[in-house]
Amino acid sequence: MPTRHSRHGLTLSPNYRMVVLRDVYCDAAVGSATAISEAIKNVAASTGYEIYIVATQDLIKVRADVEIWDEAPDDDLSASGWTGPLTFDLDCPTGNLQVGDIFGTVISGIEPPRGLGRYTVALFHRGREQADGAFHEILQVMGTDGDDERIDDLQRQHSGIEQYLMRIWWQTDLPPDEDDEDL
């Protein structure tokens, strides 16, 4: 029976609408432009080293949760309103993960018990349509009398309505690095 080892969460205002899951040490730039373009179309995409999630808006804080499992969870999250999963491979050369935005609002120290390796990540999301509606509500308030207070109220009221859940479990050892030499 699958067992969840840990859960880590962060509520953040994603700069450039990006939420990123990655190993703390990775080849971040390799394939990032292609992955980001793909994520804009499909919610999320991966370079193999990083998973990029594109939030539907950037005026209201989003919630990102990471769960570490010993194997693939077998429960059905659709009954709780989750959409997904989108499934990706994620190479973790240190086995120390972080999730957050691209400017350093992150939670690090997410350490799966199996350590370094290739992991499977199942990404679920919910609340994107509601967050988009709240985003447009805020836009309508902008520029009206007392807009600062009303915007603050709307942001507090809808904080975390857009949610992302990443379930992670170990898949296999990493392939040998091309730069490694046989000793």
Side-chain angles (χ1 to χ4, degrees):
M1 177 169 196
T3 302
R4 185 176 74 190
H5 288 281
S6 63
R7 183 176 177 113
H8 312 268
L10 175 65
T11 303
L12 72 154
S13 298
N15 289 308
Y16 295 104
R17 296 178 32 211
M18 291 284 182
V19 177
V20 180
L21 173 70
R22 67 179 183 88
D23 189 275
V24 296
Y25 175 79
C26 70
D27 296 331
V30 177
S32 61
T34 301
I36 291 168
S37 293
E38 183 73 20
I40 290 168
K41 296 178 207 168
N42 299 312
V43 178
S46 176
T47 64
Y49 292 100
E50 292 183 300
I51 296 173
Y52 293 94
I53 302 165
V54 176
T56 191
Q57 53 74 46
D58 61 358
L59 292 179
I60 303 163
K61 290 184 178 185
V62 303
R63 179 72 185 182
D65 288 292
V66 176
E67 295 180 345
I68 305 298
W69 290 77
D70 63 348
E71 61 183 275
D74 56 5
D75 55 340
D76 180 11
L77 296 179
S78 64
S80 301
W82 291 100
T83 299
L86 299 170
T87 306
F88 305 99
D89 291 339
L90 183 66
D91 286 357
C92 301
T94 69
N96 185 352
L97 300 169
Q98 70 179 34
V99 66
D101 68 16
I102 59 176
F103 286 108
T105 302
V106 299
I107 293 177
S108 57
I110 302 170
E111 299 178 2
R114 295 279 308 253
L116 63 92
R118 179 166 290 155
Y119 286 82
T120 299
V121 178
L123 171 69
F124 297 86
H125 60 86
R126 67 179 173 193
R128 287 175 59 88
E129 289 179 16
Q130 295 89 338
D132 190 51
F135 172 79
H136 288 290
E137 187 177 354
I138 290 171
L139 289 180
Q140 289 176 339
V141 170
M142 287 182 171
T144 62
D145 288 338
D147 66 345
D148 288 342
E149 185 177 321
R150 181 75 176 123
I151 290 169
D152 289 346
D153 288 343
L154 288 167
Q155 287 175 322
R156 273 191 299 277
Q157 177 184 348
H158 296 292
S159 179
I161 196 166
E162 184 174 355
Q163 300 174 6
Y164 298 92
L165 173 62
M166 293 150 274
R167 291 179 146 186
I168 301 171
W169 59 92
W170 193 85
Q171 183 186 124
T172 189
D173 291 326
L174 289 175
D177 190 336
E178 295 171 2
D179 295 335
D180 290 346
E181 293 181 26
D182 293 321
L183 298 175

